Amino acid sequence: MPLRTPDGATVQWRDHGTGAPLVALHPHTATGAFFEPLAQVLPGVHLIAPDRRGYGGSTRGEGYAEVTQAEDLLHLLDHLDLPRVNLLGVAAGGGPAAAFSLRWPDRVQHLVLACSFLGQSARFWQGLTGETPPEGDATERELSQAVRHTPRADAWRAQVARNQAQNAGEPPQPCSVDLSALASIPNLHLWTGIEDRLFTPAMLTEAARLLPNARTRVLPDVAHAAPWEDPQGFAEALTAVLNPA
């Protein structure tokens, strides 16, 4: 059964596997199904992947313009009786993940933000690096060259089209993140793909300068949809964080 929020929205989620809980928040061009390939190669983890409010099977509710997705996540964790989780935010899912971690830090063990603007605007990061916005459609902007011309990219385009038809994520929900406050997060991991044209490796370098507490990593062979493009490589990187030797 979906979770009903206080303002009448319903939140759908997917459960995968058993073990330590990992909640994963998806990009703007996806739904919680984005993480299914990752879940298949991530042993010993209970992966919980909600459709963020207004995406997929989750509705907008009466408070869409005021209620934050961080609050939705709090309701979900309470509903599932999960006092503390590992939290993964990919791309646009990183803002709500960061906001949640700042408001309820005792509920988060590790925070991994991958290919994410960290709750800031693209213009903010472009101002630091001098880079310009990438051109092309969502496939060209978000997928690596090796993937964007394969049959898998057709499935990506189809999901993008479904989100656009649903007007998912528009207008944007509130997501306030004080970048400097992320310095208080003890187990903060910031990653991006070597081919990411949105949150570029140069932007990750700037993020590391602003947040020296963060552990940064550039993932090989992938772009903005890193866990979907290379679930095995992403799973290995996650396992090193969640189960360090």
Side-chain angles (χ1 to χ4, degrees), residues 158-202:
Q159 182 58 61
V160 171
R162 286 192 292 271
N163 279 13
Q164 290 174 339
Q166 188 176 338
N167 203 30
E170 299 297 340
Q173 275 193 278
C175 182
S176 177
V177 177
D178 179 351
L179 185 63
S180 63
L182 286 175
S184 67
I185 302 295
N187 296 312
L188 175 62
H189 303 264
L190 307 179
W191 301 347
T192 199
I194 187 67
E195 293 188 45
D196 197 330
R197 302 175 67 207
L198 292 170
F199 189 73
T200 66

Side-chain angles (χ1 to χ4, degrees), residues 54-67:
Y55 293 81
S58 296
T59 62
R60 292 175 182 269
E62 296 178 0
Y64 180 82
E66 296 84 23
V67 178

Side-chain angles (χ1 to χ4, degrees), residues 70 87 94-108 111 113 118-120 175-186 188 211 213:
L87 187 53
F100 178 89
S101 299
L102 290 174
R103 290 185 64 180
W104 296 283
D106 59 317
R107 305 294 296 266
V108 179
L111 173 62
L113 303 176
L118 316 183
Q120 313 307 306
C175 182
S176 177
V177 177
D178 179 351
L179 185 63
S180 63
L182 286 175
S184 67
I185 302 295
L188 175 62
L211 297 167
N213 60 307

